Amino acid sequence: MRNYSFSKKRRLHKATEFQAVIRFRCTVSGEFLQFCVKPNNLDHPRLGLIVAKKLERHAIKRNRLKRLLREVFRRNQQELDKMDCVFRLQRSLTQIDSVRIWQEAEMLIHKLRTKQCYG
């Protein structure tokens, strides 16, 4: 049976962890999101989210976007085994269209599977 949990051990916590993933430079971008990954030495993937206040002023919208991205990651984490992942908001959202953001996030995960990011 698959484990779809999203516990604290599946999150990036420190700024150095975020920087390491971004500096690895294995990224794909969509209209609103950028998705970066880096292999890790753990037996599970980890996720970090960057939703800048500068791009999305309202906390309600930032939190909703983060919940949405965590759920996409949680459902697709089997495909990202042993990877550190970061979703970053690239441009401001005029309105959060959950379906559109969900589809873009899943598309970025699937697009990254075809890219060779194992260094």
Side-chain angles (χ1 to χ4, degrees):
M1 190 165 133
R2 289 184 173 169
N3 181 10
Y4 287 108
S5 68
F6 189 68
S7 60
K8 279 195 172 195
K9 71 177 187 174
R10 296 191 182 268
R11 299 177 188 171
L12 297 177
H13 294 283
K14 300 177 183 171
T16 55
E17 295 171 336
F18 280 84
Q19 288 172 349
V21 174
I22 292 168
R23 284 188 185 143
F24 190 71
R25 296 195 185 270
C26 185
T27 65
V28 289
S29 296
E31 185 178 351
F32 296 104
L33 300 171
Q34 181 182 36
F35 186 55
C36 309
V37 297
K38 176 184 179 281
N40 67 27
N41 295 326
L42 306 171
D43 62 342
H44 57 273
R46 298 188 302 170
L47 175 67
L49 300 171
I50 302 172
V51 182
K53 190 186 277 189
K54 185 177 182 179
L55 294 176
E56 188 51 66
R57 299 294 300 166
H58 298 97
I60 294 171
K61 291 182 181 180
R62 284 195 311 274
N63 293 337
R64 180 170 169 75
L65 179 61
K66 288 189 232 178
R67 277 195 311 273
L68 186 69
L69 293 173
R70 279 193 296 268
E71 184 65 15
V72 170
F73 174 81
R74 192 183 68 78
R75 291 200 180 189
N76 291 286
Q77 63 186 326
Q78 302 302 109
E79 298 176 30
L80 299 166
D81 197 32
K82 299 183 181 182
M83 300 291 265
D84 285 345
C85 310
V86 173
F87 273 112
R88 184 188 335 197
L89 183 65
Q90 285 191 178
R91 40 179 275 223
S92 181
L93 299 168
T94 54
Q95 174 182 357
I96 292 193
D97 182 4
S98 299
V99 174
R100 192 168 164 196
I101 296 296
W102 184 286
Q103 289 172 343
E104 182 172 326
E106 283 195 333
M107 182 264 309
L108 293 175
I109 290 171
H110 295 301
K111 190 188 282 190
L112 199 72
R113 285 182 57 201
T114 61
K115 200 172 181 180
Q116 295 296 324
C117 294
Y118 300 93

